[in-house]
Structure formats: C-alpha cells, structure tokens
Amino acid sequence: MSHYVAVKTVFKDQAALVQALEDVFGQGKVEISTDGAALFGYQGDNRSLLPASNGHYAPPCHVIVRQQNTGVGASNDLGWCRQADGTFRSYISAYDNGALRNSLPQLAQRYARAVAVKQAKLSGYTVTEEKAKDGTIKLSLSKWGG
Amino acid sequence: MKKIEIKIDAAGEVKIEAIGYTDGSCLAATKAIEDALGVAGERVRKAEAYQVGTGEKVKAGK
C-alpha cells in the first residue's frame, strides 16, 4: 500500500546535529564535548552551577555553540545535552529563542535533511533534492529495480 | 515506479510519502527513515494502497 505520514523530528543523531548546526552557524562554530561542558551566560556565569530550579540553569552539554559564534547576538551559550535515552535536549534561553527565531526552525530543517539523506543512502536509495520557493526541501528517493 | 518523497518545510516539519506501492511493502520502505528522524504520527493510507497489481481498485471497507 501507499501512505503518507508526518514525523516529529527528535534530535538523536549527534553527527547530523553537528552538521545541521554548522549549516546554520558556520563551519568550526560547533564545540563537541564527550563528557559535557558548561554553558556560560551573558555575564560569564557558569549556568551548570546554578540551582536546577533556576530558570537559567543548564547542565553540562555535549554539543555547544558559544554565544560569540551564533552571529546573531545570542546572549548565552546554546547547548544540547545527551539524555539517558540517547536523544538530545536543547538548552536555549528564552531570550535567545527570540534572538534566534529565524535560525532555530532552520536548524530543525537542516537536521531532518541530514538524517533523511544519511538513512536513505544507508538503505540503498538514490536521492535527488529540490528546494521550493517557500523554503521546503523535497527529497525524492528511488532505488534501481525497487 | 515506487518512490519515497520527503518534504521538510522551513519550520522543520517533515512529511514522508510512499508513492506507487501496491504490494504492502511501503511501511517497511519508510520505517527506517521514520525511526531515524523521530516519532511518526498516524499513517494515512492513499487510494493506491487498495489497488492490486493491475491497477484494479478494490473496496477498502471501513
């Protein structure tokens, strides 16, 4: 049968997340920390030392874009922390969510594109890509004899 | 011809469509991609899902 399905994207592929962040913020702007590194706020404050109940608290994160590398005047470092289930949780301040309102949707799109292309190739598909005027990316997957 | 189309809009919303499948294999064809991307919502079957190989339509029922 044929079908269509909507998929809610979840960040769980670190390499694709880093690729997407580099697409948005530029090559060399993304920091990776195996054990997790602190995020710093606009006053240089270590956000992992704040009480967890504080709205500005952020745990050490495994994928980081420092505020000076965002290029759009973010006030705090942006972080993605790997959870026990392997997914990444974003730590982006409310202020920066506003400052990055154009970049964050783009990040989700670039991540989904990276994951879809990677998985399609692993599954043996040939991928062609088009971009519509409204910014939608269309990937067409076909397989010889399939 | 069987193919899969993936549309990712500017807000990052993803829609996956299996096209041309009449043999019941489309779920398997898209599952790996769905799993890699995240959490799949409800699947909506298209009319051609109810066709047999010759293109003859069969009644889907309720």
Side-chain angles (χ1 to χ4, degrees), chain A residues 61-85:
Chain A
C61 287
H62 303 92
V63 179
I64 297 166
V65 178
R66 299 294 177 190
Q67 53 193 279
Q68 65 271 22
N69 287 332
T70 60
V72 291
S75 290
N76 307 278
D77 294 341
L78 318 177
W80 286 263
C81 180
R82 192 183 305 108
Q83 308 294 293
D85 64 0

Side-chain angles (χ1 to χ4, degrees), chain A residues 11-81:
Chain A
F11 294 147
K12 53 187 174 183
D13 181 324
Q14 180 170 307
L17 176 59
V18 170
Q19 182 184 331
L21 286 165
E22 288 188 335
D23 284 349
V24 174
F25 296 111
Q27 295 289 318
K29 304 294 188 187
V30 184
E31 181 179 318
I32 300 167
S33 172
T34 306
D35 299 324
L39 302 185
F40 293 92
Y42 69 101
Q43 293 178 312
D45 47 311
N46 182 335
R47 296 172 62 194
S48 68
L49 299 179
L50 296 169
S53 57
N54 186 305
H56 296 288
Y57 168 79
C61 287
H62 303 92
V63 179
I64 297 166
V65 178
R66 299 294 177 190
Q67 53 193 279
Q68 65 271 22
N69 287 332
T70 60
V72 291
S75 290
N76 307 278
D77 294 341
L78 318 177
W80 286 263
C81 180

Side-chain angles (χ1 to χ4, degrees), chain A residues 83-126:
Chain A
Q83 308 294 293
D85 64 0
T87 63
F88 285 85
R89 178 175 172 183
S90 305
Y91 285 88
I92 300 172
S93 72
Y95 176 87
D96 291 330
N97 261 305
L100 297 164
R101 62 186 171 278
N102 293 325
S103 305
L104 294 177
Q106 195 185 350
L107 172 64
Q109 186 189 44
R110 299 309 300 178
Y111 174 84
R113 180 204 168 275
V115 169
V117 169
K118 179 179 176 180
Q119 187 58 50
K121 289 183 175 175
L122 282 172
S123 299
Y125 288 99
T126 299

Side-chain angles (χ1 to χ4, degrees), chain B residues 23-46:
Chain B
D23 57 2
S25 63
C26 68
L27 292 178
T30 61
K31 187 166 189 323
I33 296 168
E34 292 169 17
D35 289 347
L37 280 167
V39 182
E42 185 181 359
R43 286 177 182 76
V44 178
R45 294 178 181 182
K46 300 191 305 178

Side-chain angles (χ1 to χ4, degrees), chain A residues 1-13 104-106 108-116 119-120 123 125 134-143 146, chain B residues 1-12 14-18 20-21 24 26-27 29-30 32-41 43-46 48-49:
Chain A
M1 66 187 147
S2 292
H3 71 277
Y4 63 84
V5 60
V7 180
K8 184 179 186 303
T9 303
V10 177
F11 294 147
K12 53 187 174 183
D13 181 324
L104 294 177
Q106 195 185 350
Q109 186 189 44
R110 299 309 300 178
Y111 174 84
R113 180 204 168 275
V115 169
Q119 187 58 50
S123 299
Y125 288 99
D134 67 357
T136 297
I137 293 172
K138 179 180 162 187
L139 302 173
S140 297
L141 282 50
S142 57
K143 196 182 279 189
Chain B
M1 180 185 174
K2 296 175 188 174
K3 68 173 181 175
I4 296 170
E5 281 189 358
I6 303 171
K7 291 181 182 172
I8 311 165
D9 72 18
V14 182
K15 185 175 168 184
I16 301 174
E17 188 169 3
Y21 288 79
C26 68
L27 292 178
T30 61
I33 296 168
E34 292 169 17
D35 289 347
L37 280 167
V39 182
R43 286 177 182 76
V44 178
R45 294 178 181 182
K46 300 191 305 178
E48 65 198 39

